[in-house]
Amino acid sequence: MDDTVKLESAHSPHLTEHLTQPPDLDQLGEKKGYVLDSRFLHKGESTDATALKLARDNKTILIPQPSQGPRDPLNWGQGKKNLTLVIISATSFLADYASATGAVTLLPQAAIWDIPQDTVLHSLAGNVFMLGAGGIFVVAFSAYFGRLPVLFWFTCASLATAAWCGGATSFKSFMTARLLNGFFSTVAQAGGLMFIKDIFFFHEHARKINIWSYFIIVSPFLGPFAAAFIIWKLSWPWAYWVLTIMNAVCFIGIVAFMDETYYDRRIPVDQQPPCKSRLLRLIGVEQFHSRRQRNTFLQAVERPIQAILKIPVFLSTVYYLFTFAWLIGINTTLAIFLTPLYHFGPEAIGLFYFTPIIATTLGQIVGHWLHERIANLYIAHHGGRLEPEARLWIIWLSTPFMIAGIVSLGFSLQQGYHYMVTAVTWGLYVFGLMITTVAINAYLLDSYPNASGEVAAWISFGRTLGGFFITFFQVRWAKAMGTEKSFGIQAGICAAAFLLVIILQLFGKKLRTWQGGLAFKTS
C-alpha cells in the first residue's frame, strides 16, 4: 500500500509477537480511548500485534488497520474514496432538498387545488416523517443485502417518485408520491455514515462527516431557494421536474462509479467472497450469494433496536430531536411568516434562503479545522488518547449561537425588524446547528464504531421526528401567543436539551462501559 508504512513491534515493548492478524483498534478505542499518535503507543495497553500500519506522516496510526486485500475499501486510492464521498453526499442532499421544496410550492398548490395552505403542509410533514422512518429500514436492509444494492434500488425508487410528484394532478396523488419519496430518498442521508466508516480511517472521520453533513444541512435551504425562482417564472411541477433531474444525475453516478464498501477483515483474503462483476454487486446478486457470511435477516432487523437501547445513543437522539426540530419548523413555514410581514413575492422569499446557505457554508469551513483542533488539544492533555466524549466539547461553542438565533428570530418576526436583521438571526441558529451536527455524529461513531449505520439512522430519525411534529403546529403556535413567546420557548427547550450533552460528557463512558458495546455479527 502506497499510503501506509509499518510500525514494527520494536517500536513498542507492549506489542506481542504471537498473532499475525492486526488488532481491532476500533474495539480498543471504544473501550480505552483512541491512540492516534504512535509516539504515545508505549503508554497504552498491549495491542497484541506484531506490526501497525501508519499514515504517510509516519506517526498517525491507521484505525482500523487495513488488510492486505486489494478489495479492502481502506486500500482504495484517494481519488476513488473521494468520488464515493461526493456521490454519497450528493445523494444525501436530495432528501431534504425535496422535502423543503414543498415549503414554497404549497402556495400555488393551495390556490390551484382550492384547499388551505395548512392542508397542503401535511404532505410536507408526512414527507419529513418518512425521511426518518425510511432510514431505519435502510440500515437494516444494508446489513442483510449489502450497502450498494440498497443504495441503488432506493435511489431508483426516489427517482421514480420524484417524477410522480411532478406529474401529480391531485392533492391525494401528490401526497402519496411525497410520502414514498421521503421513504426512499433518505438512503444516503441515513446510511451515509456507513460509507464514511467503511472507506476512511479514524483520523479522517471528522472532516469527512463535516462534508457529508454540509450537504444534508444546506439542502433544505437550497430547495426553497431554487423552487421560489422556478415558480416565479414557471408552474409548480417544474420544481419537482428539476428534482427528478437531480435524482437522475445521482443515480447515474451510482451506476457508473459506486462499488460495495462493506468488507469483513476478519475473513482471510483467500476466503473472501468471489468478486465477479460490479453490475452484479450493484443489483445485489453477489451480496445475496454471500449473505450467510453476514447477518441473518432477523439479526439485521434487530440491529437498530439494539442500538437505540444504548443510553448514549438514546440521549443523543433525544438531544438532536430538540435541537434540530426548530430548523425544520422554521424552514417549512417561513414563507407563511414572511409574505404578510414583508410583502415578499416568490423571488424575495428565494433570496431570503440565501442567508442560511451562507451560514451553513461558514459552519462547514469553521468546522473543517475546529473539530480536529479540539480533538488534538484533548489528545495533548490526556496522554495521547481521544475519548469519544471529547467530540462533544465543541457543542459548548455552538449552543450559544443556536439559542441566540432562535430568540432573536422570534423578536424579529414579532416586532417587524428589518428583513436583514431577521436573516442574520436565522443564520446564527443555522451556523451553530451545522457544527453541532458533525459533533454528535462523530461522537456516536467513535462510541459505537461497528454500528455506524444504526447510530446515523437514529440521529436522522430524531431530527425528522421533531420536524414532523413542529411542522403541524408551528404556525398555529405562533399565531396563538406570538413568535416572541413561541420561539422563546423553543430556545428554552434547546437550552434544556444541552443538559443531555453535559450528562454524556460526565457519564457517557461509564454508561458505555456498563452497557457494553454492540456485539453485531458484522460492522
Side-chain angles (χ1 to χ4, degrees):
M1 294 177 294
D2 61 352
D3 61 339
T4 62
V5 297
K6 285 188 176 181
L7 173 66
E8 301 299 337
S9 58
H11 287 255
S12 172
H14 292 82
L15 300 180
T16 67
E17 302 178 354
H18 304 294
L19 301 179
T20 58
Q21 68 178 23
D24 188 344
L25 298 184
D26 269 330
Q27 187 179 58
L28 289 174
E30 179 185 345
K31 295 179 178 179
K32 303 292 184 180
Y34 294 86
V35 179
L36 296 174
D37 193 329
S38 59
R39 294 172 297 182
F40 290 96
L41 195 59
H42 66 281
K43 298 180 182 180
E45 301 292 334
S46 170
T47 56
D48 295 327
T50 58
L52 292 178
K53 298 184 179 71
L54 305 181
R56 288 181 177 180
D57 61 5
N58 289 327
K59 66 177 183 180
T60 302
I61 300 172
L62 297 179
I63 304 175
Q65 290 280 280
S67 70
Q68 299 297 332
R71 288 174 49 205
D72 187 342
L74 291 176
N75 295 330
W76 288 356
Q78 201 62 37
K80 184 175 182 179
K81 289 184 177 183
N82 290 334
L83 179 60
T84 298
L85 177 63
V86 168
I87 294 173
I88 291 299
S89 299
T91 307
S92 69
F93 174 91
L94 299 173
D96 278 359
Y97 177 94
S99 182
T101 295
V104 174
T105 60
L106 68 86
L107 299 175
Q109 286 172 328
I112 293 171
W113 290 328
D114 193 26
I115 54 179
Q117 293 178 4
D118 207 33
T119 301
V120 182
L121 197 61
H122 292 171
S123 66
L124 196 155
N127 177 272
V128 168
F129 178 80
M130 294 302 284
L131 291 177
I136 307 301
F137 286 86
V138 165
V139 296
F141 288 164
S142 296
Y144 182 72
F145 295 107
R147 323 275 207 234
L148 184 61
V150 173
L151 177 68
F152 171 80
W153 290 113
F154 269 59
T155 306
C156 181
S158 176
L159 170 61
T161 52
W164 183 357
C165 290
T169 57
S170 68
F171 178 67
K172 287 184 178 180
S173 176
F174 179 76
M175 179 80 169
T176 304
R178 289 282 279 168
L179 292 175
L180 292 175
N181 183 256
F183 181 85
F184 290 110
S185 66
T186 192
V187 59
Q189 186 180 90
L193 204 58
M194 292 187 297
F195 292 90
I196 292 174
K197 178 65 173 65
D198 286 345
I199 65 178
F200 292 107
F201 296 105
F202 179 91
H203 66 278
E204 302 174 295
H205 285 169
R207 288 189 171 181
K208 304 307 179 183
I209 293 172
N210 195 39
I211 294 171
W212 168 65
S213 296
Y214 172 74
F215 278 80
I216 295 174
I217 301 299
V218 79
S219 60
F221 311 125
L222 278 170
F225 178 79
F229 286 100
I230 292 172
I231 68 171
W232 180 28
K233 294 295 185 180
L234 303 170
S235 59
W236 71 263
W238 273 103
Y240 294 97
W241 292 128
V242 170
L243 172 66
T244 303
I245 294 172
M246 295 169 64
N247 272 267
V249 171
C250 291
F251 182 72
I252 292 171
I254 293 169
V255 172
F257 301 110
M258 287 293 294
D259 205 342
E260 178 61 63
T261 61
Y262 173 74
Y263 186 88
D264 193 343
R265 295 175 190 88
R266 297 170 301 178
I267 302 175
V269 175
D270 57 352
Q271 297 178 25
Q272 289 287 337
C275 184
K276 299 178 180 179
S277 166
R278 194 177 68 86
L279 176 61
L280 293 179
R281 292 192 297 278
L282 187 70
I283 61 177
V285 173
E286 283 194 10
Q287 293 91 329
F288 187 75
H289 287 161
S290 62
R291 65 190 182 281
R292 290 180 178 82
Q293 294 181 331
R294 299 189 303 276
N295 304 270
T296 65
F297 188 76
L298 180 59
Q299 288 173 332
V301 171
E302 289 175 342
R303 287 171 61 115
I305 300 173
Q306 294 178 31
I308 195 61
L309 292 178
K310 298 298 182 182
I311 296 176
V313 178
F314 176 76
L315 292 181
S316 298
T317 302
V318 173
Y319 165 73
Y320 203 57
L321 185 156
F322 288 118
T323 302
F324 200 101
W326 322 121
L327 182 139
I328 297 178
I330 295 168
N331 200 54
T332 56
T333 61
L334 199 63
I336 299 175
F337 289 117
L338 296 179
T339 301
L341 180 61
Y342 300 116
H343 307 291
F344 279 175
E347 69 279 10
I349 291 175
L351 289 171
F352 198 82
Y353 278 93
F354 196 63
T355 296
I357 295 172
I358 294 176
T360 306
T361 303
L362 290 175
Q364 198 277 337
I365 293 172
V366 171
H368 183 75
W369 64 268
L370 190 57
H371 290 283
E372 187 171 314
R373 177 62 175 164
I374 290 178
N376 289 337
L377 285 174
Y378 183 92
I379 290 172
H381 290 85
H382 292 81
R385 291 187 178 275
L386 178 67
E387 296 287 352
E389 285 71 26
R391 300 290 192 184
L392 300 174
W393 278 110
I394 198 172
I395 300 181
W396 286 79
L397 300 178
S398 62
T399 298
F401 285 95
M402 293 189 291
I403 295 174
I406 299 175
V407 171
S408 301
L409 180 58
F411 274 88
S412 296
L413 295 175
Q414 180 89 18
Q415 301 297 331
Y417 295 159
H418 195 279
Y419 66 85
M420 293 183 67
V421 176
T422 305
V424 170
T425 60
W426 192 19
L428 289 174
Y429 172 50
V430 174
F431 174 81
L433 193 58
M434 174 65 207
I435 294 175
T436 298
T437 298
V438 178
I440 205 71
N441 276 286
Y443 164 64
L444 288 179
L445 180 59
D446 293 355
S447 298
Y448 301 99
N450 62 333
S452 56
E454 287 73 21
V455 297
W458 281 116
I459 288 297
S460 178
F461 181 79
R463 172 178 62 86
T464 54
L465 182 65
F468 168 74
F469 285 115
I470 190 64
T471 300
F472 275 109
F473 58 83
Q474 174 80 299
V475 176
R476 282 175 287 178
W477 189 7
K479 288 181 178 179
M481 62 173 56
T483 55
E484 282 186 15
K485 291 184 179 180
S486 64
F487 280 56
I489 292 173
Q490 293 171 25
I493 294 174
C494 186
F498 179 68
L499 296 176
L500 296 177
V501 173
I502 299 176
I503 291 173
L504 288 172
Q505 287 186 295
L506 293 175
F507 306 108
K509 185 173 182 178
K510 293 180 180 179
L511 290 170
R512 290 188 289 110
T513 303
W514 173 61
Q515 286 192 296
L518 287 165
F520 294 152
K521 184 177 179 180
T522 63
S523 62

